[in-house]
Amino acid sequence: MCGIAGVFQGPARQTVEKMIGNISHRGPDGNGVLGVLNGTLGHTRLAILDVEGGHQPMMYQDTSIVFNGEIYNYRELKREHLSMLHVRTHSDTEVLLHLYRKKGPGFVKLLDGMFAFAIQHKGEILLARDPLGIKPLYYGKSADGKKLFFASEIKALVRHVERIKEFPAGHWFHSRLGWHKYYQLEETIRPFDGTEEEARPAIKSTLRSAVYKRLLADVPVGVSLSGGLDSSIVTALAREETEHLHSFAVGVEGSPDLEAARQMSRHLETVHHEYVYNTQDMVEALPNVLYHLESFDPALVRSAIPNYFLAKLASEHVKVILTGEGADEVYAGYDYLARYETPDELQGEMLNITNALHNTNLQRADRMSMAFGLEARVPFLDVKSVSIAMGIPANWKLHNGRVPKALLRQSFAGDLPRQIVNRPKAKFSKGAGSSELIAQEAVAKITDQEFESERDRLKKDWDYNLQNKEALFYYRILREFYDDEWILPTMGNSRSL
């Protein structure tokens, strides 16, 4: 996991050095800047695979790459497509380099993982992002329209480009061939042909495979363990393959997550760590949270605060954590989804929120973990896991008379304590005990007139609907770091507050 930045169509070493400096938190293990034909590539590294040999930018003859992410099937790809080639490293980065040289941009559809990368070859450039946008990528053009800039975070592009755009998930762009969409969630869904009872082992085996492959690392791997259903499932599966599994939980004193996580840790015999924070800790951390998050969406900020403390804690012990992100989207866990009374309506909303993850929950998960040089992996959003989950009949996920995520709970009922299986859904910010504390402060500090004035201005200037005083409170802090034009055009809007 790393940070990448670069400029195409012109030398820009000093600029790229500054861009990489602005995202150095993403890669505490080294950095590099390389001048290439028609441009400059930059990289800051968090060493996960081939710690000694995987330095970037990486070159082979007239081809260069900067890469952020993990390719879980890189060994299989190397055996199948590059068996006759002598590779110098044991990293997934080098495999990407050679696959591009052999197959061209179309090789992207072979990749199983999370990624954002740039490859320069003979003066042409390829940019690509993973199917669901787990790893971030942004781009823009210089004021004269001649240079293309790209980077892992918005803060690296500020004042370098005319307008910042988010690189779309599931796409690649080639400077000669243009844009290509290689993944569309709706096209991957295969309706499940069987009973609910038959679906359970399929769900379990798919998630087990997704977790196992995400244990790939040459450094310690841990788990985020809130004591909720999703993180407990991930922890239980990871524990099957890890003898000394480190688990991490955070919350305010007396929060439900802390006690539930302790229970799960005792059940699974993990090496458990926890951090207890208070209101003052949250207030002091909030500017840093917003600076890294690059959003003032209230639902994101609320959950980002405990994520921030979790990442800080975990980074002191491991370099990689697995999380339960995505389960509520594909198994209909959010409370608000109870309003959908027909299968078609529910399926449509699940598709909407899953396709929107790239600049909502996945943005929060990436930014908070990478603020501390920690890699977060999301097994529930494995493309095969998403495909099977979305292929399960939506009427099995309707809330009318059933507990949310009933099928997921039943699939793992024999692996988890009964209290965890039956634990009601609680958003991370609620379970950690922090969801309302800062919101109350926002309401106290902002008058109705102030809110109405700013709401009207943002609607007029940016067509942005300011939700409430809490959003305005976060917005004002974020404005200390970024102007409107840097944040608002790419900002997502969570629907689950």
Side-chain angles (χ1 to χ4, degrees), residues 34-102:
L34 177 69
V36 297
L37 188 61
N38 270 357
T40 305
L41 302 179
H43 187 266
T44 184
R45 187 181 186 217
L46 177 64
I48 304 296
L49 293 175
D50 195 355
V51 174
E52 296 300 322
H55 301 287
Q56 298 184 49
M58 190 176 288
M59 290 183 64
Y60 180 81
Q61 294 180 3
D62 50 9
T63 312
S64 310
I65 184 172
V66 285
F67 165 60
N68 170 31
E70 302 293 345
I71 306 300
Y72 304 119
N73 65 335
Y74 83 99
R75 290 169 178 160
E76 293 88 340
L77 292 172
K78 182 164 65 172
R79 283 196 300 268
E80 183 176 349
H81 300 285
L82 306 173
S83 59
M84 302 301 291
L85 183 72
H86 174 70
V87 295
R88 297 179 294 108
T89 73
H90 302 291
S91 73
D92 46 358
T93 307
E94 188 176 7
V95 171
L96 299 183
L97 194 65
H98 291 296
L99 281 174
Y100 175 77
R101 289 175 58 86
K102 184 174 182 178

Side-chain angles (χ1 to χ4, degrees), residues 294-312:
E294 300 179 333
S295 171
F296 60 89
D297 179 72
L300 279 197
V301 178
R302 284 189 178 192
S303 54
I305 293 169
N307 271 189
Y308 179 86
F309 292 123
L310 180 81
K312 183 178 181 180

Side-chain angles (χ1 to χ4, degrees), residues 245-313:
L245 181 65
H246 289 258
S247 57
F248 305 93
V250 299
V252 299
E253 189 69 49
S255 61
D257 278 6
L258 288 175
E259 181 50 44
R262 291 170 196 149
Q263 181 184 358
M264 271 306 302
S265 175
R266 290 191 296 267
H267 178 73
L268 295 171
E269 298 181 338
T270 66
V271 182
H272 194 56
H273 311 266
E274 64 180 37
Y275 177 75
V276 178
Y277 55 88
N278 57 34
T279 303
Q280 185 59 34
D281 295 327
M282 288 189 287
V283 171
E284 291 176 358
L286 188 57
N288 269 340
V289 168
L290 289 163
Y291 169 75
H292 285 288
L293 184 61
E294 300 179 333
S295 171
F296 60 89
D297 179 72
L300 279 197
V301 178
R302 284 189 178 192
S303 54
I305 293 169
N307 271 189
Y308 179 86
F309 292 123
L310 180 81
K312 183 178 181 180
L313 172 66

Side-chain angles (χ1 to χ4, degrees), residues 146-161:
K146 294 180 179 179
K147 292 182 180 180
L148 173 69
F149 292 70
F150 64 88
S152 296
E153 297 186 15
I154 290 169
K155 57 184 64 67
L157 292 170
V158 168
R159 284 182 272 279
H160 293 302
V161 300

